[in-house]
Amino acid sequence: MAPLQINIERLKQNLLEVASLANAGSRGYTRTAFSAEEKRALEWLKQKLAALSVRVSQDAVGNVFGKWGNPDEPSILFGSHLDTVPEGGLFDGALGVVAGLECLQTLREHGYQPNVPLELVCFVGEEANPLGGTFGSRAVAGLIPYSAELEKKLNEQQFTWDDLVRAKRTSRDFRCFLELHIEQGSLLEAADKQIGIVTAIAGILRLAVRVNGRASHSGTTPMHLRRDALVDAAALIQKVNQLAKETNSDIVATVGEIAIFPNLANVVPGEAHLTIEVRGSKWEEMKAIEEAIREWSSRHIAADFAITVEKRPNSLSAPMQSCVEQACRDVGASYQYMVSGANHDANSLTALTDVGMIFVPSKDGISHHPDEWTSWEDIETGANVMLQTILRLADRYSRD
């Protein structure tokens, strides 16, 4: 018997509908966190869920839930987010929500009766925002610590600390969490695979660096007497890239921000400020890169370092990965195991429950850009893998 299949035309229509309904951009799609456009998209989702006669709720920070089945039992949770970066793409985040909605619609129209509750979630504020990325999912997972500064920022966005307290859930609420997302990279396309089964979410380590030189007149300071902070910063950037390449692992390192002072054409730079970001699936390797950068700098340049971000990598559930693999086989999809270099709501949920993540290819690895694209064929395959994974999970948990 052929496995149940989603309706790709309906999924496509829903995705384009929410995109046109809630978009402030002239290029691409702009539906930033906490904006009127994000709120409009959330209202659209609530109406779609209400039409399915599932229990619709919205928590104190704005996350939307649609639960089908016994309201008092822990659910199989799945979903993503609907907010975007400014002038972003059609698929980032929204695909996971709309595909989850399509799974519910497909099951409903085929008379499926859940023995285990199924629950779609749309988290708010996943993209970078004044309250920090993955805001909604971190609130649900209880990962946001209190500070007076945070409370001030919350108030500016019309939230209170009590809202965060009320949004927090526990491990008793969910059996597991599943997220479908575009890869945002080019590994699947390069390998000609339809599905990525995510094994871990990469950690993030960011260092703020001040390279110290001496500002002096560019016309009167001989080359051998200069202390050029930008030249030293350039050497540091080269070293960062070299160290990352030498690991021969999934470690990546980037210098994405740099500023020089006084930034004048006739002055040798006296200071250079830059940000070094290291990502990878093994915390020990990431910290070893940091140590190597510091050690090289102590011998070659004058620089001060400060850690600004430390997010440890999180491995995803092995049983969830196995379930996704079986679903790939059910629908005849090619797949590979891989690490997610980007952060996702799935990362937050690892604090509460077992988590699985499904990637579909991104053309040319482009994301957060109007040219972001995933073929409808790949989307159909990914949504069918998601559907079969949900069914396999429901069967497994109903027998526990």
Side-chain angles (χ1 to χ4, degrees), residues 22-38:
N23 179 21
S26 56
R27 291 182 69 249
Y29 300 88
T30 299
R31 193 165 51 247
T32 55
F34 317 128
S35 66
E37 290 73 33
E38 186 192 35

Side-chain angles (χ1 to χ4, degrees), residues 105 149 205-206 240 321:
Q105 289 173 318
E149 181 183 3
L205 174 62
R206 286 195 190 129
V240 167
Q321 294 171 44

Side-chain angles (χ1 to χ4, degrees), residues 215-261:
S216 58
H217 195 292
S218 64
T220 62
T221 309
M223 299 303 289
H224 70 285
L225 294 180
R226 295 185 178 202
R227 290 176 52 199
D228 189 324
L230 182 56
V231 170
D232 287 347
L236 174 59
I237 292 168
Q238 292 288 334
K239 188 63 181 179
V240 167
N241 278 265
Q242 177 192 336
L243 289 168
K245 289 177 180 177
E246 287 175 351
T247 63
N248 290 318
S249 68
D250 58 29
I251 287 282
V252 292
T254 307
V255 176
E257 293 179 323
I258 186 166
I260 60 170
F261 301 92

Side-chain angles (χ1 to χ4, degrees), residues 30-91:
T30 299
R31 193 165 51 247
T32 55
F34 317 128
S35 66
E37 290 73 33
E38 186 192 35
K39 291 181 174 65
R40 196 174 303 132
L42 294 171
E43 287 301 317
W44 173 89
L45 178 62
K46 288 195 289 185
Q47 291 175 17
K48 291 290 184 180
L49 289 169
L52 292 174
S53 300
V54 301
R55 182 174 177 268
V56 182
S57 62
Q58 190 164 19
D59 68 18
V61 299
N63 298 313
V64 170
F65 298 84
K67 189 171 184 177
W68 182 23
N70 189 331
D72 299 321
E73 288 187 16
S75 62
I76 295 170
L77 187 70
F78 47 92
S80 192
H81 62 98
L82 283 172
D83 64 314
T84 72
V85 299
E87 297 188 345
L90 175 63
F91 304 105

